[in-house]
Amino acid sequence: MITTRVRHLTQRIAKVLVWTAALSTIGVMILILFQVLREGIPVLSSHFLLDSPESMGRSGGILPTIVGTFALTAVALFFAAPLGVGTAIYLKEYTRESRISRVIRFGTDCLAGVPSIIFGLFGFVFFVIYLNLGWSILSGGLTLAAMILPTIISTAEEAVKAIPISYREVSYSLGGTKWQTVTRVILPSAFPGIFTGIILSVGRSIGETAAVILTAGSSLLMPTSLFSPVRTMSVHFYILAREGISMEMAYGTGAALIILVLLVNTIAQWLINRYIRQRT
Amino acid sequence: MNRNCGLRIANCELEKAPNPRKIRFTQNQNTQQSPFGHWILVPGDYLGFGFLKLGILAILFLPLVLATGPLMGCQRSKPEITVAGSTSVEPFAELLAEGYMKNHPGSNIYVQGGGSTAGIVAARTHAANIGMSSRSLLPDENDLHPITIARDAIAVIVHPKNPLNDLPPARIVGIFSGQIKNWKEAGWESHPIVVVTREEGSGTRETFQKLVMKNEEITLAALVQDSNGAIRQVVSNDPHTIGYISLGLVNEKVKAVKISGVEPSVANIEVGMYTLVRPFLFVFDAEPAGMAKAFLDFVLSPDGQKLLEKEGLVPATFKVR
Amino acid sequence: MELKEKIIGKSLLLIALSSVMILGLITFFIFEQGIPLISKVGPLNFILGERWVPSKGEFGIFPMIVSSFWVTAGALALGIPLGLACTIFLAEWSPPSFAMVLRPAIHLLAAIPSVIYGFWGLVILVPLVRDRLGGPGLSILSGSLILGFMTLPTIISISEDSLKALPPTYKQGALALGATHWQTIWRVLIPAARSGIVASIILGMGRAVGETMAMIMILGNAVQMPSSFLDSARTLTTNIGIEMGYASGDHRQALFATGIVLFLIIMGLNSLAIFLSRRRMGS
């Protein structure tokens, strides 16, 4: 028979354990970030960020990698955003729950679960070899687009779902066609949610390494076209860290990477809070 | 008119993928209920919101456009070549490319890894102008034109704290094959030996296998790293490891052991005493021409060779004295 | 006008099918590259073979499967208790102001690239394991620890969602009956949110099995069958990652074949998670 005393004692113990676990988890995570940031932030300077690397990355800066990261993300968004938003619109506006929509959802969910190395293999054999795009920003960007597509689809879908039916009713009653409704009413209203999803995908694609190495190559030169190979910040960090070429550069790149990712995600959070306010 | 902007979104949790279903913007489940009175976007209002939206878009995407557009557009018409292949040769090729591009501003040389075999294939299929290889060509690759740009020795390395300075080949084979498992058997303290090797397919590993291990297999328990630099890192961090890397990459963080009393050094290679040597090749699918030839000429020039010598390689044109 | 609408409708359908098409392409190409090798070597030899020596044409990935299993199991052994603890903490016991800071913090931590975790593991954790516990440090233990931390955000946020989605009457009823807060959580809320929590764990497992970069940095990548947590090992993902740059011919196809096995495992795990979460949402 469990007495009140025992129950309260159990609660005390559990509380202590849970608090310890939670705080130590957060502590370790912060430790990880702190380690890189502490060593890396001193390295960050305008010189570091705006110069090209010299002598295999032992010195100089990381500008080509920054450009590479942005370029790959831009290409990925260019392809994934229209596809993702289009899919969301189709699922919500142009069809009801049917076999097709179930298949599409299943495909999206499965795609979301594919690990990045498989995307890398696919991108390599399809974009680099089969379509003969070579190791390039285009190959890397297209592969990344496939990776972020599921995220954009579901954020867009949820954003579109949240729009009240009355909007559509009003639009139709005023004589608008479906497409007019979509472009003039639904999309603008769903924009905050869609944009947030896009920002989140950007955060993810910045940190992506495995798929990028296999499709965009690892050249340290400033890219000159969409067909140039390029090295992103995360790939550069990975290579520097493993080869021990220059720990200082590695830490600096890592710090830059962390700050960039944190910035992007903070913007996303801020956007949520700003445009998605809850009623008290 | 309701001038409030934003969507009413309850219970919103966002997270990094892979589970996009995590993201929820649940609204009233009952769609019959009037949505008015919530903070919703009224289309007529979105002008105000729209400027802000445009502003955000501009701030966020402008750097993207700026970074990629002009930087890429204005360099379109430069001559460029691609050099791809062995990751052992790669860092040196990058250095040479840097030197070349400094003398010939306006040209671009892209250096890529991928492995000796991939480099040879790339040369043949014109995926690259020049293929890099850290091993000699196989018989069925003899239709290509290899040019030796340097010679590189493979050094067996241990941690500086390791007191052993000299190992006979038989012992090296014993250690790398896993027959000798403890440093005690090699003359040091009692501690398991940690072997580090390159991955299968690496030209460095193939050379090591062919010239050192011969018919013995490298132990399956060995740690595997996918570049010489990574092996150097691992060995420099753990006193009980042993591995092999390019002589040119040996620095003060690791110690290269002598093999039967012969120290791996450029001098010993040139007199033919240290034989764990392999050629670094530039592979062409035809007679070198154009910018590729210009680069090759630079590499083989005294300036280029001096650059390589400074990094610890043996110049291509040495004769055994 | 009608025609225009119809065309738009059809084109949107095509766009919507893009994710399915991409999935199909991925499946097709991976299988097309890998199946020939599996049939050449024999499926049983491939999956159960214990020797991976590509230079001799031996392609057995059993050690990799076992290592993937051990690393994931270790990660979950760390991730599930800590994850549940953090979830409970966030949902029930933390002061609301602290939670408001903590929740975004966890999401931010989820966004940190895996190479950063791997780097930290390499620089801090591996020497620690090597000096205190023995072995090369680059081991399954180190890998599990880092991987555990990487899957925490997944587990935490989905589980917290499930807890929050429970009707408040569960908690109110239990408390009204005189249960302590802890009893309510442990005996009522968590079992009620069970399927969501399990789904989060399975998804975390899927992420763990698919992690590559951090594992290449920390696991040591030995090809052997691991016999202890302090041994170096190689998972299915790192097998592909570490040899892909160099492989050609049969070797490369074998890596694609490894990809097939990985793909099937993860598809299985994810389908399970989807099935469980659909059931929860549907009921």
Side-chain angles (χ1 to χ4, degrees), chain A residues 13-137:
Chain A
I13 298 179
K15 210 164 189 178
V16 167
L17 283 177
V18 166
W19 269 88
T20 324
L23 289 179
S24 53
T25 309
I26 311 299
V28 170
M29 302 275 223
I30 299 199
L31 201 69
I32 296 179
L33 287 187
F34 194 62
Q35 161 82 13
V36 180
L37 286 175
R38 185 183 56 165
E39 303 276 337
I41 289 188
V43 181
L44 296 180
S45 62
S46 63
H47 178 71
F48 181 73
L49 292 174
L50 294 178
D51 281 349
S52 289
E54 291 154 26
S55 79
M56 305 191 270
R58 264 180 242 155
S59 54
I62 57 167
L63 183 64
T65 62
I66 299 182
V67 170
T69 312
F70 276 124
L72 251 102
T73 312
V75 171
L77 281 180
F78 180 77
F79 286 100
L83 284 181
V85 175
T87 308
I89 303 258
Y90 180 78
L91 281 176
K92 185 72 187 65
E93 304 292 325
Y94 282 79
T95 182
R96 54 190 85 234
E97 272 306 303
S98 65
R99 205 150 58 105
I100 289 211
S101 71
R102 271 202 297 272
V103 164
I104 294 177
R105 264 182 243 280
F106 177 72
T108 308
D109 284 338
C110 277
L111 203 61
V114 174
S116 50
I117 189 88
I118 303 275
F119 275 109
L121 282 181
F122 165 67
F124 177 67
V125 81
F126 185 62
F127 295 118
V128 177
I129 304 248
Y130 186 68
L131 290 186
N132 207 19
L133 294 173
W135 283 294
S136 60
I137 297 181

Side-chain angles (χ1 to χ4, degrees), chain B:
Chain B
M1 177 117 89
N2 191 345
R3 297 207 69 87
N4 296 313
C5 301
L7 285 169
R8 177 180 192 268
I9 304 215
N11 205 29
C12 162
E13 301 284 353
L14 284 107
E15 187 220 294
K16 180 181 163 182
N19 184 17
R21 298 209 81 76
K22 247 298 300 162
I23 299 162
R24 268 178 230 325
F25 293 72
T26 53
Q27 219 245 1
N28 285 315
Q29 297 303 326
N30 185 2
T31 49
Q32 297 298 319
Q33 191 177 345
S34 163
F36 295 117
H38 293 186
W39 291 31
I40 48 176
L41 186 68
V42 180
D45 246 1
Y46 96 90
L47 257 163
F49 168 66
F51 279 136
L52 190 58
K53 166 176 48 165
L54 274 158
I56 294 178
L57 264 171
I59 295 176
L60 282 171
F61 284 112
L62 207 58
L64 252 145
V65 171
L66 283 180
T68 56
L71 276 168
M72 302 217 271
C74 71
Q75 301 188 40
R76 206 174 299 271
S77 54
K78 293 185 176 178
E80 49 186 56
I81 57 170
T82 311
V83 184
S86 157
T87 57
S88 302
V89 183
E90 187 185 358
F92 304 106
E94 267 178 22
L95 267 178
L96 289 165
E98 238 176 74
Y100 181 86
M101 288 190 286
K102 221 177 277 179
N103 292 339
H104 299 77
S107 57
N108 268 332
I109 304 186
Y110 292 115
V111 180
Q112 192 80 31
S116 303
T117 310
I120 295 173
V121 169
R124 180 180 275 135
T125 62
H126 301 190
N129 303 85
I130 306 179
M132 302 184 284
S133 171
S134 62
R135 58 166 177 78
S136 347
L137 292 189
L138 298 173
D140 60 351
E141 293 163 346
N142 267 337
D143 55 317
L144 302 167
H145 293 67
I147 313 263
T148 308
I149 62 160
R151 284 176 206 279
D152 174 50
I154 296 186
V156 174
I157 53 168
V158 294
H159 194 270
K161 271 209 204 129
N162 190 325
L164 301 173
N165 285 322
D166 195 336
L167 290 170
R171 183 155 296 170
I172 296 181
V173 174
I175 292 179
F176 275 89
S177 64
Q179 282 155 14
I180 303 180
K181 292 204 212 307
N182 196 312
W183 280 116
K184 175 175 64 189
E185 299 165 55
W188 191 20
E189 61 189 11
S190 173
H191 196 285
I193 302 182
V194 178
V195 176
V196 191
T197 172
R198 284 293 301 279
E199 80 288 8
E200 288 263 1
S202 143
T204 314
R205 175 170 173 147
E206 272 172 37
T207 312
F208 188 76
Q209 179 78 44
K210 192 169 71 170
L211 296 180
V212 177
M213 302 300 290
K214 306 231 173 52
N215 284 327
E216 289 287 329
E217 202 177 73
I218 298 183
T219 171
L220 294 183
L223 299 183
V224 177
Q225 300 289 305
D226 59 355
S227 72
N228 287 336
I231 293 189
R232 181 180 63 189
Q233 267 295 85
V234 171
V235 171
S236 69
N237 284 332
D238 184 350
H240 301 106
T241 45
I242 183 171
Y244 56 85
I245 59 174
S246 212
L247 180 62
L249 278 168
V250 173
N251 60 12
E252 68 283 351
K253 290 204 205 142
V254 294
K255 178 168 75 173
V257 299
K258 302 189 209 170
I259 302 187
S260 286
V262 181
E263 183 178 336
S265 69
V266 174
N268 279 340
I269 296 171
E270 288 181 343
V271 298
M273 284 206 64
Y274 192 81
T275 51
L276 205 46
V277 178
R278 66 216 177 120
F280 275 359
L281 302 174
F282 270 9
V283 181
F284 300 81
D285 72 323
E287 277 302 315
M291 185 170 160
K293 177 160 200 325
F295 184 50
L296 179 68
D297 288 340
F298 169 73
V299 171
L300 292 177
S301 73
D303 284 335
Q305 293 289 299
K306 210 183 310 184
L307 224 140
L308 293 177
E309 253 188 282
K310 203 157 57 120
E311 295 291 326
L313 295 182
V314 179
T317 52
F318 83 91
K319 289 194 211 345
V320 178
R321 287 181 225 136

Side-chain angles (χ1 to χ4, degrees), chain A residues 88 92 105 151-163 168 190 193-194, chain B residues 7-9 20-27, chain C residues 281:
Chain A
K92 185 72 187 65
R105 264 182 243 280
T151 312
I152 297 191
I153 290 182
S154 35
T155 19
E157 201 191 342
E158 299 288 343
V160 169
K161 258 198 205 158
I163 294 175
R168 303 180 183 91
I194 296 179
Chain B
L7 285 169
R8 177 180 192 268
I9 304 215
R21 298 209 81 76
K22 247 298 300 162
I23 299 162
R24 268 178 230 325
F25 293 72
T26 53
Q27 219 245 1
Chain C
M281 273 161 45

Side-chain angles (χ1 to χ4, degrees), chain A residues 152-220:
Chain A
I152 297 191
I153 290 182
S154 35
T155 19
E157 201 191 342
E158 299 288 343
V160 169
K161 258 198 205 158
I163 294 175
I165 285 201
S166 58
Y167 281 33
R168 303 180 183 91
E169 287 171 354
V170 165
S171 173
Y172 293 142
S173 69
L174 288 174
T177 65
K178 210 166 208 176
W179 183 239
Q180 282 176 328
T181 313
V182 164
T183 46
R184 291 162 200 256
V185 177
I186 309 254
L187 276 183
S189 317
F191 184 73
I194 296 179
F195 194 61
T196 313
I198 291 183
I199 300 284
L200 282 174
S201 316
V202 165
R204 183 182 176 194
S205 69
I206 290 178
E208 187 46 57
T209 320
V212 173
I213 282 191
L214 288 176
T215 52
S218 55
S219 158
L220 270 176

Side-chain angles (χ1 to χ4, degrees), chain C residues 94-145:
Chain C
S94 96
S97 46
F98 193 39
M100 243 172 28
V101 169
L102 209 56
R103 219 170 272 126
I106 293 195
H107 291 137
L108 286 175
L109 288 169
I112 300 291
S114 51
V115 283
I116 302 274
Y117 284 108
F119 178 67
W120 185 84
L122 188 61
V123 166
I124 304 280
L125 198 61
V126 164
L128 216 71
V129 169
R130 179 175 56 227
D131 294 335
R132 297 292 163 86
L133 295 172
L138 297 161
S139 57
I140 298 186
L141 181 64
S142 312
S144 299
L145 288 175

